[in-house]
C-alpha cells in the first residue's frame, strides 16, 4: 500500500515543479530576470550622474517587480488553469488542493525575491546606489507587498473570463499603477490630483516603504501608515479571493 505523501511534501514537490517550469519557459525567465535589468539599464543611462533620480528608480522598480511577480503572474496563471479545467481535475487527485495552491504561490514568492535581489545588486554594482540602509524594514515591506499582491492577483483572476482577455484585465490594473505610483519618478513632484489618486493605490505605499528603507534608512515606524494600507488592501484581496474562488471553468472546454 502506497504511503500518503504529507501536505508539506506535496507542496514542496509542486513548488519544485513550478520552478523547473519557470526556467524552461523563456518568456517567463525574460520577464523574471532580464526585464528588471533592462529597465535599470535604460533608466540608468537616462539618469546617469543624477543620484537623486537613480535613488527613486531603484526602489520604484523593486516595488514594480514585486507586483509583477505576484499579482500579474497569479492572475494569468489561475485564469489559464481554471479555464483549461486543470483546477477542476486537480480535485479528483490525491494531492491536497491547498498544497497545489501553496506550491503555485510559493513560486510567485520566489520570483519576487529573485527580482528584488537582482534590482538591489544591479542598483549597487551598475548604478552606484548604496546598499539598502535598513534591511529589516525593506524585508518587512517586501513581504507585505508579496502578501498583498498575491491575494489581489488571485482575486482579479475571478473577474477574468478567459485566458485571451487576461492581458487586458491585468494591464488595466498594472499599467496605471506603475505610471501613477512613483515607480519612474518622484511622486512628490506630480500634480496634486495624481498624488491624491496615487495615495489610494497599494503600489504607492509599497514603493514608499521600500524607498524609505533602501534609500533613507527609515524604519517601519516612519511608514507605518503605508504598511497599514498595504495590510488593508491585502485583507480586501484575501476576502475577495476566498469568496470568489472557483474550481470550475466558465466555459465548456
Amino acid at each position: 500500500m502506497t504511503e500518503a505523501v504529507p501536505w508539506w511534501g506535496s507542496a514542496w514537490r509542486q513548488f519544485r515543479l513550478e520552478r523547473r517550469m519557470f526556467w524552461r519557459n523563456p518568456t517567463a525567465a525574460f520577464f523574471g530576470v532580464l526585464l528588471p535589468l533592462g529597465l535599470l539599464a535604460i533608466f540608468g543611462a537616462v539618469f546617469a550622474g543624477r543620484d537623486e533620480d537613480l535613488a527613486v528608480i531603484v526602489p520604484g522598480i523593486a516595488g514594480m517587480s514585486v507586483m509583477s511577480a505576484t499579482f500579474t503572474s497569479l492572475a494569468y496563471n489561475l485564469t489559464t488553469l481554471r479555464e483549461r479545467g486543470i483546477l477542476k481535475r486537480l480535485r479528483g487527485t490525491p494531492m491536497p488542493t491547498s498544497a497545489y495552491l501553496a506550491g503555485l504561490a510559493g513560486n510567485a514568492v520566489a520570483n519576487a525575491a529573485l527580482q528584488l535581489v537582482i534590482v538591489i545588486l544591479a542598483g549597487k554594482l551598475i548604478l552606484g546606489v548604496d546598499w539598502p540602509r535598513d534591511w529589516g524594514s525593506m524585508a518587512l515591506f517586501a513581504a507585505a507587498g508579496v502578501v498583498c499582491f498575491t491575494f489581489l492577483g488571485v482575486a482579479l483572476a475571478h473577474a477574468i473570463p478567459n485566458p485571451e482577455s487576461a492581458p487586458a484585465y491585468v494591464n488595466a490594473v498594472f499599467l496605471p499603477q506603475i505610471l501613477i505610483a512613483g515607480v519612474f519618478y518622484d511622486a512628490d513632484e506630480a500634480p496634486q490630483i495624481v498624488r491624491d489618486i496615487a495615495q489610494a493605490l497599494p503600489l504607492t505605499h509599497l514603493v514608499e516603504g521600500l524607498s524609505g528603507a533602501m534609500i533613507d534608512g527609515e524604519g517601519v515606524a516612519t511608514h507605518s501608515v503605508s504598511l497599514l494600507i498595504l495590510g488593508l488592501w491585502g485583507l480586501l484581496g484575501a476576502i475577495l479571493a476566498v469568496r470568489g474562488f472557483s474550481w470550475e471553468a466558465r466555459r465548456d472546454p
Side-chain angles (χ1 to χ4, degrees):
M1 183 175 181
T2 304
E3 184 179 352
V5 179
W7 187 93
W8 286 107
S10 297
W12 175 245
R13 288 183 180 181
Q14 185 61 38
F15 171 76
R16 292 175 59 191
L17 175 62
E18 295 293 334
R19 296 310 297 160
R20 289 196 296 269
M21 291 172 61
F22 171 79
W23 289 113
R24 292 173 182 174
N25 185 335
T27 302
F30 169 79
F31 282 101
V33 178
L34 296 181
L35 183 59
L37 284 174
L39 290 173
L40 286 172
I42 291 171
F43 285 100
V46 172
F47 297 130
R50 296 159 59 178
D51 292 342
E52 290 186 1
D53 290 321
L54 293 176
V56 171
I57 289 298
V58 171
I61 292 179
M64 182 199 73
S65 297
V66 169
M67 182 178 180
S68 175
T70 52
F71 173 83
T72 302
S73 173
L74 288 170
Y76 276 120
N77 289 343
L78 284 175
T79 301
T80 301
L81 292 170
R82 184 192 69 224
E83 295 306 312
R84 289 182 177 176
I86 296 174
L87 291 182
K88 180 180 179 180
R89 292 195 295 272
L90 178 68
R91 302 186 75 182
T93 69
M95 173 180 281
T97 53
S98 58
Y100 176 83
L101 295 176
L104 202 66
N107 179 58
V109 172
N111 288 337
L114 172 65
Q115 293 190 31
L116 186 61
V117 169
I118 289 173
V119 170
I120 292 171
L121 290 176
K124 173 62 178 178
L125 301 178
I126 299 176
L127 303 183
V129 177
D130 290 338
W131 296 112
R133 297 178 61 186
D134 190 328
W135 289 90
S137 180
M138 181 197 70
L140 180 59
F141 269 97
V146 165
V147 173
C148 173
F149 286 114
T150 293
F151 282 127
L152 290 174
V154 175
L156 180 64
H158 309 332
I160 303 175
N162 52 65
E164 293 78 14
S165 61
Y169 279 79
V170 171
N171 288 327
V173 178
F174 180 70
L175 293 180
Q177 288 209 62
I178 66 173
L179 294 175
I180 295 175
V183 171
F184 304 117
Y185 61 90
D186 188 348
D188 292 335
E189 297 179 0
Q192 184 62 48
I193 187 172
V194 174
R195 281 181 284 167
D196 291 341
I197 296 173
Q199 287 304 307
L201 304 176
L203 183 58
T204 299
H205 298 283
L206 175 58
V207 171
E208 286 183 358
L210 291 176
S211 179
M214 297 171 70
I215 305 301
D216 302 319
E218 297 171 342
V220 174
T222 305
H223 296 280
S224 57
V225 174
S226 291
L227 191 62
L228 174 62
I229 293 174
L230 279 173
L232 292 175
W233 271 106
L235 178 60
L236 175 62
I239 293 172
L240 295 175
V242 172
R243 289 177 61 89
F245 194 86
S246 174
W247 300 93
E248 305 286 338
R250 295 188 180 182
R251 62 185 182 183
D252 294 331

